[in-house]
Amino acid sequence: MEPWRDPRRGYDYGYPVGSAAQAPQVSRQPPPRQEDAASGGVLKRSLAEVERWQQELYLRAVRQRVAAQAQPAHPPIDIGGMLARAASRGSGFSGPPSSPAFPGLSPQPSSTLSSLTTGSRMATPPMQQLLRRQMVPAPPQAVVARCPAARPASAREMVLLQELEKQLLGDDDDNNGEAGSACGSTVTSSAWTADTNTMQNELNSITSAAHNTTSVPVTRSPTNSASSSTASSTASSSPPISTASPRHLLSEAAAAVADGKHAAAATHLAVLKASSSANPRGGDAEQRLVAMMAAALSSRIGIAPISSQQQHLAAELCGGEQRAAWQVLHDVSPCFGLALHAANLAILDAVSGSRAVHVVDFDASVAQHAALIQALAARRACASLRVTAVCDPASPFSRAQTQALAATGQRLKRHAQQAGLEFRFHAVSCRPGEIDAARLGCVEPGEEALAVNLAFALSRVPDESVSPANPRDELLRRVRALGPRVVALVEQDLSTNTAPLAARLADACAHYGAVLESLDATMPRASDQRARAEAALARKAANAVAREGPDRLERCEVFGKWRARFGMAGLRPVPIGQGVADAVRARLGHAHARSPAGFDVKLDGGRIGVGWMGRVVTVASAWR
């Protein structure tokens, strides 16, 4: 057994690395004595050399700060400069003679430091590759950081930097074989792997922090801290001056509302309200749209409790005034009136040649059925018309609908008498799951032609996103079971069902903005009817963007989704022909000769889309 060798005598670096014959077998050596460790035999550095070495590695030339600024407890660490300087020195460094240990440190080195030292001997080449990855070149010239002071080095970072210096300078006192620590512990390869990963993470954080600190551009700080804080507080408290477009501010406000940042949303909405016209009838269509949407978003972050706001908006949307104003919009806006006319033409084509016609309607309106009565009477083939109005008692719209049905029936009877057509009107109250032929009074198919009218009605029926029973699809399945000749569908081409708030807002702005612009082309701005129609649009916009979950009572969908629903219910499309599209365009020219150029009537895939300046507002289609 080889005698123990005093480590204070130094090591012969002439042995080739990895030579088992030449290198001493330190793994069998007994642990060093306490007095040897205290005298510096293990650490191999004198106090003067260690102080000079620390100053050389850790103290970097940094531009002086102002005299009044306090210096940190430890100098800032310049990893890039240290690595570059240490790498340039090479690996020919030899340790100084033995001397007393570091002041302030324990005479016996810690197990962590010893483990790291032992592990560094075991995996020197991988460590060199790791260090090459960690090296960050220093900037070409010193840059003053804007941070108050550099972060002092922690004890863990000091240990890591010592190990880093040993690897860079080749301070190895053993071969690459197994070696025991000065404390008698042995580090396995798995433990060294864990320590290497820890060191790599630590070096990543230190290097990135140093790099970020030294890469900040030079800025002049104010000499008076009180004036600086006053200026910053004044800038933060002053309202923002935004040059963004109103629709961009609406989008930003909607995003803030969706994220729960009501203060930021209120700031954007305040800017929008200040820029919009205070007169509801003033401003152009864009200004009125911005005011409408800003009011809708404001209702979500109002001071009043959410429950009271929901009840108020629901009462307005489902009330009698909203229903009457919606009927006015059908009368004055070609985007809605022409779609209803296209649905009537599809019904007329389906029941052509029948003596008796039965129409089941889920939201009967005077305007649509009065025009249907006139068209049936003009054809002379039909002798009688029966209309069955279906009302869902569970719907929040049922109260206003029921109250209006009696007056609707009386007005339609007068129209039928004037046209010389036998007419019967009947109202039925039943849920979607209760609809059947017997309850609706449907007779044998050969005795009368059955048609179902779904004009702006399905969007008010909840779907699977609101109710697990999915009344919307249940209604379609029940309608198919009736065996009608045609099912006429008219809906707004608008996605306000399951889309997120930002998407609903963008689609609603495009949709209702087109409707408002179309009203400018057909009605004077001071018209009372126009004011009622725009109020109805504003309530629908508030429902689309300000309500979530079951509180969003109207849920419109684009035509593609309606097509999927009808297909799943077993209904197939009945293409609308070119003759119907020509008739709708002819009606547009006769009824709205003032400015029909901006309106679009487009026949696409067997359906008719009516819109303004390229934006489709409503879509009419037929199914069977």
Side-chain angles (χ1 to χ4, degrees):
M1 182 175 183
E2 188 175 350
W4 176 77
R5 184 175 182 177
D6 190 355
R8 293 175 295 175
R9 297 168 56 186
Y11 295 94
D12 186 2
Y13 283 85
Y15 296 127
V17 177
S19 175
Q22 300 291 337
Q25 301 294 329
V26 296
S27 60
R28 296 183 179 181
Q29 296 172 358
R33 293 172 297 176
Q34 186 73 17
E35 58 270 13
D36 292 334
S39 62
V42 175
L43 298 178
K44 306 181 303 178
R45 301 287 191 275
S46 65
L47 178 59
E49 181 65 17
V50 167
E51 290 179 353
R52 183 192 63 78
W53 173 65
Q54 285 183 336
Q55 291 178 359
E56 182 180 47
L57 288 179
Y58 305 138
L59 298 183
R60 301 291 95 192
V62 180
R63 188 176 300 176
Q64 289 293 335
R65 302 179 184 273
V66 293
Q69 190 171 5
Q71 297 295 330
H74 294 282
I77 301 173
D78 186 358
I79 301 299
M82 184 195 72
L83 291 175
R85 181 173 302 182
S88 64
R89 291 174 55 185
S91 59
F93 181 78
S94 60
S98 59
S99 60
F102 292 115
L105 293 179
S106 172
Q108 182 74 11
S110 64
S111 61
T112 303
L113 179 59
S114 176
S115 300
L116 291 175
T117 307
T118 305
S120 67
R121 304 187 192 110
M122 298 171 59
T124 301
M127 190 60 174
Q128 292 176 355
Q129 296 177 3
L130 182 147
L131 293 173
R132 284 196 296 269
R133 290 196 300 266
Q134 298 296 335
M135 290 178 63
V136 178
Q141 61 182 7
V143 184
V144 179
R146 284 188 295 210
C147 56
R151 178 177 59 85
S154 63
R156 175 64 174 166
E157 295 168 357
M158 299 289 288
V159 172
L160 292 173
L161 291 172
Q162 291 176 10
E163 189 64 22
L164 179 64
E165 183 268 348
K166 290 181 180 181
Q167 291 299 323
L168 286 175
L169 302 182
D171 190 13
D172 288 339
D173 54 356
D174 205 351
N175 56 9
N176 291 336
E178 293 182 8
S181 67
C183 298
S185 62
T186 302
V187 181
T188 62
S189 60
S190 61
W192 166 241
T193 303
D195 289 340
T196 304
N197 294 334
T198 305
M199 289 178 61
Q200 183 173 1
N201 295 334
E202 291 285 343
L203 291 172
N204 280 332
S205 61
I206 300 172
T207 307
S208 61
H211 180 69
N212 293 337
T213 303
T214 58
S215 62
V216 179
V218 178
T219 56
R220 295 183 178 272
S221 59
T223 56
N224 190 345
S225 61
S227 62
S228 174
S229 61
T230 303
S232 61
S233 62
T234 304
S236 61
S237 60
S238 59
I241 300 176
S242 177
T243 58
S245 64
R247 293 205 184 189
H248 179 72
L249 289 178
L250 282 174
S251 300
E252 293 292 333
V257 170
D259 294 339
K261 301 176 181 179
H262 289 178
T267 302
H268 294 306
L269 294 175
V271 175
L272 291 172
K273 290 180 180 179
S275 60
S276 61
S277 176
N279 185 5
R281 300 186 183 183
D284 55 10
E286 182 70 14
Q287 291 176 339
R288 299 198 306 276
L289 173 69
V290 170
M292 180 188 302
M293 294 300 172
L297 290 175
S298 298
S299 64
R300 292 190 58 156
I301 59 175
I303 301 177
I306 299 297
S307 59
S308 63
Q309 293 183 27
Q310 294 173 354
Q311 294 175 0
H312 177 68
L313 289 177
E316 286 188 342
L317 185 64
C318 304
E321 172 57 28
Q322 173 67 14
R323 182 177 179 84
W326 184 243
Q327 296 296 329
V328 170
L329 183 63
H330 294 176
D331 296 336
V332 300
S333 174
C335 294
F336 296 88
L338 293 178
L340 293 175
H341 182 58
N344 279 347
L345 294 178
I347 292 174
L348 290 173
D349 284 350
V351 301
S352 177
S354 301
R355 296 286 298 173
V357 177
H358 182 195
V359 177
V360 176
D361 200 325
F362 288 85
D363 190 12
S365 64
V366 174
Q368 182 179 7
H369 286 286
L372 183 61
I373 289 172
Q374 295 293 334
L376 287 173
R379 293 193 175 188
R380 303 291 183 179
C382 180
S384 66
L385 173 64
R386 184 160 63 100
V387 175
T388 300
V390 182
C391 180
D392 182 6
S395 173
F397 301 92
S398 61
R399 182 176 180 180
Q401 186 178 0
T402 303
Q403 292 175 353
L405 283 179
T408 300
Q410 293 298 325
R411 293 180 62 181
L412 292 178
K413 284 182 180 180
R414 290 196 296 268
H415 281 284
Q417 288 176 358
Q418 295 174 1
L421 185 67
E422 182 183 349
F423 180 79
R424 287 176 295 173
F425 185 86
H426 180 58
V428 176
S429 177
C430 63
R431 300 173 183 268
E434 301 171 349
I435 297 174
D436 55 20
R439 187 147 192 176
L440 299 181
C442 298
V443 297
E444 294 298 328
E447 296 183 8
E448 63 180 12
L450 177 63
V452 176
N453 186 44
L454 292 171
F456 306 110
L458 273 184
S459 57
R460 297 181 178 182
V461 181
D463 67 345
E464 68 277 0
S465 65
V466 178
S467 172
N470 195 358
R472 182 175 293 185
D473 289 352
E474 178 65 22
L475 187 147
L476 290 177
R477 288 191 294 266
R478 295 281 179 162
V479 165
R480 178 186 177 274
L482 296 176
R485 290 192 180 184
V486 66
V487 179
L489 173 67
V490 180
E491 284 291 347
Q492 300 181 79
D493 198 42
L494 175 65
S495 179
T496 60
N497 187 10
T498 58
L501 175 60
R504 295 201 312 269
L505 176 71
D507 205 14
C509 285
H511 180 85
Y512 293 112
V515 176
L516 291 174
E517 290 179 3
S518 68
L519 291 178
D520 283 343
T522 56
M523 300 184 67
R525 187 169 297 181
S527 172
D528 294 336
Q529 286 188 332
R530 174 173 170 173
R532 293 184 68 188
E534 291 190 2
L537 290 176
R539 286 186 281 267
K540 287 183 174 291
N543 171 81
V545 304
R547 301 276 71 85
E548 298 293 343
D551 297 323
R552 194 161 64 250
L553 302 178
E554 285 188 355
R555 291 174 168 265
C556 300
E557 291 182 325
V558 295
F559 179 76
K561 292 188 176 181
W562 290 123
R563 178 172 52 197
R565 287 189 183 275
F566 274 71
M568 289 187 295
L571 294 167
R572 59 181 178 83
V574 178
I576 296 178
Q578 185 64 43
V580 175
D582 294 339
V584 173
R585 293 190 184 97
R587 186 179 180 87
L588 172 63
H590 291 304
H592 304 282
R594 175 184 174 186
S595 179
F599 292 97
D600 300 322
V601 177
K602 183 179 181 181
L603 180 63
D604 183 15
R607 64 183 183 272
I608 289 183
V610 184
W612 171 261
M613 302 299 290
R615 167 74 189 193
V616 177
V617 176
T618 56
V619 175
S621 59
W623 306 82
R624 186 173 181 177

